[in-house]
Amino acid sequence: MVSENIKQRDDRVTETSHSALLKVAGLGFAYAQKPVFSEVNFELYPGDRLALIGANGAGKSTLLRVLVGLAKPNSGSITAFGQHCVGEESFQRVRQRMGLLFQDSDDQLFCPTVLEDVAFGPLNQGLTAEQAIAKAQTTLTSLGMAQFAERITYRLSGGEKRMVALATVLAMSPEILLLDEPTNGLDAAAEERLLQHLQALPQAMIIVSHDRAVLERLANRAVILQSGQLDAAVMHRHPHQHAHEHLHVHPSSEVEAGKHGAKEHH
Amino acid sequence: MTSFSLQHQALEPSWFAALDPRTRLLAAVFFTLSALCLSALWPLIALLALALLLTILLGCQWRLIIKRLLAFEGFMVLVVLFLPFTVAGKPWFAIAGMEASYQGVIQALVILLRGNAVVLALLALVGSMEPVKLGYALAGLGIPEKLVQLFMMTVRYIGVLFDEHQRLRTAMKARAFVAGSNWHTWRSYGHLLGMLLVRSMERAQRISGAMRCRGFNGKFHLLTPVKWHRRDTAVLTLAVLLFLLPLEWQWWQYGF
């Protein structure tokens, strides 16, 4: 398994000539003596959009938390941007360049106004107030959220909150994005808007999602976390050729008015 | 599902909303000071009238004001009931062998008037303000940043916690829970509160994680957008002079 991985990596290095942004070797995590995952190995290269799939409770979110140093692994090593990460200090540097989008945007947005929230990261990176505000405004504008700058965060809708949360992450100019269920709880329109923006981003990504359609649009590589092991997965699509019935839902008034005839029922 | 709000949405006139929030806060402080200095009945009635005038002028919603006043009146009822019988002085009347004194009745009236005037003025001046603006005003007045952040976090998350509480309550109701005076009810409420505490704790941990992800290192940044204009000075001066009127009446009529 390990040797296979190394061979795989060697192939990648010759193939891309880039070095890995993120390298994880032999990573293991246990919660209250109960192992969540162990011997996790993978690498992330510039341009990679890695789908991390697995059942509920498989430890996908935990793995993301371990990667940014919010949870402490029991074994293994994390090398980010060529630096071996041990201890809070090295992870503090990592977090400047690796942005995590949380599952629940209410956890991420804690400032009174949208502008303050988006400027929080840049301020922590050492920008002056004016620079941070300018950065926040540019980021909001790039996501089409400029008019939300003065809004109070807790009065936003779920979709707006998610977009602002993305802005708070992007304002720090991360090189890697970790997305934990980015479209969870969004309606179709909000999801479409978010996906369009995510697709246009240049960053390498690790995407956790249960939604196949989301992964299909965002990811170009996949790994699966099951029974505590991380394995490479294959994403493929193939045409299905089978006759089947569709469930159609129409307002009953329209049906009564004869709008939906038999010809429509393919 | 009802949502939780700290603010009663006021229909405040635009000139008032445009004021620096510190002006409103300071005006409320001066009003309270004036109320505390007043001890004569008629000037206090004048102050209460002033508070009512403010409430009308600043376009508050009566339904909400009354609802909030009622919560306060519950406490006032106790004061009015007990003070006449506990303050020593010239006896006025007796109930079941307990004597009520003139001084006690007067004192109860003074507290009733003073309390209502202050609460009304606070609701009109500060209660109608966006809570976030109040936070900015506090920071602008030099209140320690940690306390202001604590206030801001409370404002931010009290609604989230309330929603969580409502969801749990709904889930209980959906399984046919009806509150009664029995052991099962108390135990269930215990579970509800315990669950709420655990969830708040977990949320706090997630928030702190999210803050660390964005490079939080113990330093809060408040981009305070409060600006003091000349009109703020004018309004505050006018307000203070107005609030001093009942006090001057008291000094002129009754001495210090």
Side-chain angles (χ1 to χ4, degrees), chain A residues 68-70 88 95-96 98 100 102 104-113 115-121 123-124 129 133 152-155 161 168 172, chain B residues 4-7 9 130-132 136 149 152-153 155-157 160 203 205-217 219-225:
Chain A
V68 290
L70 290 179
E88 177 69 10
R95 289 181 207 133
Q96 310 267 336
M98 188 147 72
L100 171 57
F102 278 58
D104 185 348
S105 300
D106 269 327
D107 294 339
Q108 209 153 7
L109 307 177
F110 72 97
C111 290
T113 64
L115 188 68
E116 276 171 303
D117 224 311
V118 181
F120 177 75
L123 280 168
N124 288 330
I133 289 175
I152 307 287
T153 41
Y154 62 83
R155 300 253 164 86
K161 273 186 191 159
T168 66
M172 298 180 72
Chain B
F4 187 87
S5 173
L6 290 167
Q7 177 198 24
Q9 294 284 347
E130 182 80 57
V132 167
Y136 289 139
Q149 282 298 344
M152 291 292 203
M153 288 275 195
V155 168
R156 169 68 183 86
Y157 285 109
V160 175
R203 187 174 289 276
Q205 280 166 346
R206 290 201 301 273
I207 294 164
S208 122
M211 287 168 75
R212 276 160 67 199
C213 275
R214 289 198 279 152
F216 178 67
N217 48 14
K219 171 107 188 70
F220 281 107
H221 312 271
L222 209 60
L223 308 170
T224 320

Side-chain angles (χ1 to χ4, degrees), chain B residues 116-242:
Chain B
N116 277 295
V118 168
V119 169
L120 259 185
L122 270 179
L123 284 178
L125 290 166
V126 184
S128 55
M129 200 180 338
E130 182 80 57
V132 167
K133 260 181 157 182
L134 179 59
Y136 289 139
L138 291 171
L141 288 172
I143 302 288
E145 200 166 291
K146 285 243 162 72
L147 290 181
V148 175
Q149 282 298 344
L150 217 54
F151 175 76
M152 291 292 203
M153 288 275 195
T154 308
V155 168
R156 169 68 183 86
Y157 285 109
I158 200 161
V160 175
L161 273 182
F162 181 77
D163 286 347
E164 215 138 12
H165 169 251
Q166 286 293 90
R167 273 199 297 277
L168 288 170
R169 282 293 288 273
T170 317
M172 284 166 82
K173 267 191 220 155
R175 286 194 283 155
F177 173 79
V178 181
S181 56
N182 50 34
W183 184 231
H184 171 68
T185 301
W186 287 109
R187 197 175 36 218
S188 305
Y189 277 140
H191 289 318
L192 172 74
L193 269 181
M195 199 41 126
L196 210 56
L197 277 176
V198 170
R199 288 195 185 184
S200 314
M201 175 78 187
E202 283 188 341
R203 187 174 289 276
Q205 280 166 346
R206 290 201 301 273
I207 294 164
S208 122
M211 287 168 75
R212 276 160 67 199
C213 275
R214 289 198 279 152
F216 178 67
N217 48 14
K219 171 107 188 70
F220 281 107
H221 312 271
L222 209 60
L223 308 170
T224 320
V226 286
K227 252 209 180 96
W228 191 271
H229 296 282
R230 201 169 291 161
R231 59 162 186 258
D232 291 298
T233 317
V235 168
L236 187 60
T237 316
L238 202 72
V240 170
L241 287 178
L242 204 62

